[in-house]
Amino acid sequence: MSKSGMLYVDKDTLFHRMDGAAKLIVFAVWTVIVFLFQDLRVFVPLFAIGLILLFLAQIPYKRIRLLVWIMVVFNLFNSIFTLLITPSYGSEVTGTATVVLDLGYNVLTLETCFYVLTLTMKYMSLMPITVLFIFTTHPTRFASSLNRIGVPYKIAYAFNIAFRYVPDLQTEFRNISNAMQARGMGFGKGEGSMRDRVKHFISIAIPLVQSSLHRIEVVSNAMDLRGFGRHQKRTWYSATAWRRADYIIAALSVVAILAAIAVRLSGFGRFWYPFS
Amino acid sequence: MSQSKFNFTTKTVVAIGIGAALYGLLGSISIPVFTQTALRPAIAILTIFGAMFGPVVGLLSGAIGHIITDLIWGGGTIWWTWVAGSAISGLGMGLVFMKSSFHVNEGRAAKADLWFLGIVGSLAMAIGYGFSSVLDIYLYGEPPVKMFAQFLWATGANVIVHLVLGVPAVAGLISRNRKNSNLTVLK
């Protein structure tokens, strides 16, 4: 995580050149489309397209490896959890029951397994586009694009500050934690009871919060001195002009969302179960 | 100097930013209690920032902070429904700021105010995460029974952190600030 860019990977591809606001529109449209449907036949192509886009954006796998693993573990736990708590939910949705396994308190049905698979793919199909967005958009440019799509600039700037100060606070957190560990406080597993570890955590949190409150004073004074908030509008150093590609992609996104809504209204896209 | 409590000053902007960064950063730390349930100390940040800077800062730093947590630890997905939950929680924790008898920086607080913070904050979390769970059912199609279990666990764990870490931290900040202004007027 670099100081200025957080997760941002600097490359020169179509996605990096695109304006943040256009990417934000694609991202929003994609998310809404995924929310609209509950159909594996929608999610698998979306996931595949997402992967291709991700490949084209030349994001090194090394950078996203952790995210991929978190996603895999999340889906695994979420699926097991769903299967254990509501093993026959899929049958409630489809109205058919194909028993796979008798769990005693309930029966696990094939419909539920398929439902869980659909749900997993639903989550997976959101992943590539999110990764694409966060890894190809510089936080400062992200703030200016938020402003462009209508978010008040003070809120957009708050986003900017938040991203800017995560690495700083992380360093601060590490310093305090090291200082406390040098005094003999343990935070890891087996370094004290639950109670002690919670207590030790507080001993980091208090100085961290205090120094953050101090930082708020310093930063807001510095911004006031430079006239922040004096005017109703603000320009951004990092703002880019929309190019033809941006207009085309934004227009395509609007078409896609309208088409998706039309398809959804025609009745397609409720939970799809092929074996009934 | 009397100012509207909703005034969007530079300090508000910075407080939102820093609060979100803190919430996002600490959001990655969790103390596992048992499977799928963890105490997330980050909630206390919302309590503190809500009480100190008000509902607007609570709402926005909850939302932005949650987005940051998800960017780092969300597995490449932003869980918008739970972003909404964090935002509503932050809003509720900031409501105490509206009371005239409560002011953290001046070290003023009636005992009832701290109760107010504890209870309204907890209620806001119940409402916020309830809202998230309902959205999860409708937007993602999660089974309602499962979401209800998840809702109870998430809310329970966060209410505990709010009451055990957050409210005492605010009380501590108030008493610390009171010491700095212990001048009394002789009659």
Side-chain angles (χ1 to χ4, degrees):
Chain A
M1 217 183 280
S2 66
K3 190 159 191 159
S4 58
M6 245 179 95
L7 297 162
Y8 176 69
V9 178
D10 196 24
K11 283 269 165 64
D12 187 31
T13 70
L14 173 67
F15 305 99
H16 290 81
R17 284 193 300 270
M18 260 174 81
D19 183 63
K23 269 187 279 191
L24 208 57
I25 292 171
V26 176
F27 181 40
V29 162
W30 191 293
T31 308
V32 171
I33 290 177
V34 170
F35 282 164
L36 280 174
F37 293 96
Q38 195 67 6
D39 193 324
L40 203 59
R41 290 169 297 178
V42 175
F43 300 148
V44 171
L46 278 179
F47 182 59
I49 295 170
L51 283 186
I52 294 169
L53 294 181
L54 210 54
F55 181 74
L56 291 177
Q58 299 177 2
I59 296 163
Y61 176 69
K62 221 176 81 186
R63 292 291 301 272
I64 57 170
R65 193 170 46 196
L66 178 68
L67 293 182
V68 172
W69 274 107
I70 294 174
M71 194 64 188
V72 168
V73 170
F74 164 81
N75 271 317
L76 219 58
F77 271 102
N78 196 52
S79 302
I80 293 170
F81 191 50
T82 310
L83 288 176
L84 282 179
I85 291 196
T86 53
S88 58
Y89 182 72
S91 304
E92 285 172 37
V93 178
T94 57
T96 57
T98 321
V99 178
V100 179
L101 197 67
D102 194 348
L103 293 172
Y105 62 95
N106 207 331
V107 287
L108 179 64
T109 61
L110 190 63
E111 285 83 352
T112 312
C113 294
F114 200 78
Y115 195 86
V116 167
L117 177 69
T118 308
L119 211 55
T120 304
M121 278 317 291
K122 188 167 187 165
Y123 291 137
M124 295 299 282
S125 61
L126 279 173
M127 187 186 178
I129 194 73
T130 315
V131 170
L132 189 71
F133 183 77
I134 58 184
F135 279 83
T136 62
T137 312
H138 195 281
T140 316
R141 247 177 271 152
F142 171 67
S144 78
S145 45
L146 270 182
N147 186 213
R148 174 168 287 168
I149 61 166
V151 176
Y153 79 82
K154 285 184 172 175
I155 295 178
Y157 206 84
F159 258 94
N160 206 346
I161 292 175
F163 286 117
R164 165 65 182 76
Y165 280 100
V166 168
D168 280 31
L169 292 179
Q170 206 166 23
T171 312
E172 185 120 3
F173 180 87
R174 208 168 296 135
N175 289 344
I176 299 171
S177 155
N178 287 343
M180 291 303 180
Q181 281 177 37
R183 292 179 174 85
M185 288 183 179
F187 300 97
K189 249 185 196 142
E191 294 178 13
S193 64
M194 250 312 275
R195 226 184 113 92
D196 285 341
R197 277 163 62 197
V198 173
K199 260 195 203 153
H200 295 166
F201 179 81
I202 299 172
S203 64
I204 297 185
I206 290 171
L208 186 63
V209 168
Q210 280 183 354
S211 81
S212 302
L213 294 176
H214 181 66
R215 201 186 284 260
I216 291 174
E217 297 288 331
V218 174
V219 174
S220 62
N221 284 343
M223 282 163 65
D224 273 336
L225 277 173
R226 287 162 180 77
F228 181 83
R230 178 73 184 74
H231 298 290
Q232 290 297 314
K233 280 191 177 153
R234 180 179 192 277
T235 54
W236 301 79
Y237 174 67
S238 58
T240 48
W242 271 42
R243 275 179 288 200
R244 192 188 294 160
D246 294 313
Y247 284 109
I248 293 172
I249 290 169
L252 282 178
S253 306
V254 174
V255 171
I257 188 79
L258 292 177
I261 291 172
V263 168
R264 186 70 184 82
L265 286 178
S266 72
F268 175 83
R270 261 179 250 120
F271 177 50
W272 175 67
Y273 181 65
F275 308 119
S276 60
Chain B
M1 193 169 64
S2 74
Q3 278 189 328
S4 160
K5 298 216 167 184
F6 283 109
N7 206 357
F8 221 93
T9 61
T10 311
K11 205 169 170 184
T12 319
V13 175
V14 180
I16 293 168
I18 303 270
L22 262 184
Y23 182 68
L25 179 67
L26 297 182
S28 58
I29 297 165
S30 61
I31 303 163
V33 181
F34 52 87
T35 342
Q36 291 266 325
T37 315
L39 292 174
R40 295 197 313 119
I43 289 295
I45 297 295
L46 281 191
T47 315
I48 295 168
F49 274 74
M52 286 195 74
F53 299 103
V56 179
V57 172
L59 177 98
L60 288 171
S61 50
I64 300 174
H66 199 111
I67 292 173
I68 291 178
T69 309
D70 281 354
L71 290 183
I72 307 173
W73 297 104
T77 307
I78 297 168
W79 305 98
W80 294 109
T81 51
W82 294 83
V83 170
S86 281
I88 295 171
S89 306
L91 174 79
M93 287 162 182
L95 287 179
V96 70
F97 181 76
M98 311 304 292
K99 300 184 88 180
S100 55
S101 58
F102 185 84
H103 201 294
V104 176
N105 279 337
E106 292 171 8
R108 283 190 287 118
K111 202 157 201 175
D113 294 337
L114 287 174
W115 280 100
F116 183 89
L117 175 64
I119 293 166
V120 174
S122 305
L123 279 179
M125 278 192 281
I127 295 168
Y129 294 124
F131 183 64
S132 307
S133 308
V134 171
L135 281 184
D136 262 9
I137 294 166
Y138 283 102
L139 294 180
Y140 288 107
E142 289 275 5
V145 178
K146 183 209 156 204
M147 284 323 299
F148 186 67
Q150 208 160 320
F151 160 71
L152 284 184
W153 290 353
T155 309
N158 287 338
V159 165
I160 290 172
V161 173
H162 170 61
L163 295 179
V164 175
L165 277 183
V167 179
V170 172
L173 281 171
I174 290 169
S175 73
R176 189 174 66 97
N177 290 337
R178 194 182 297 139
K179 271 179 208 145
N180 295 340
S181 57
N182 56 355
L183 300 176
T184 50
V185 179
L186 290 173
K187 292 252 168 76

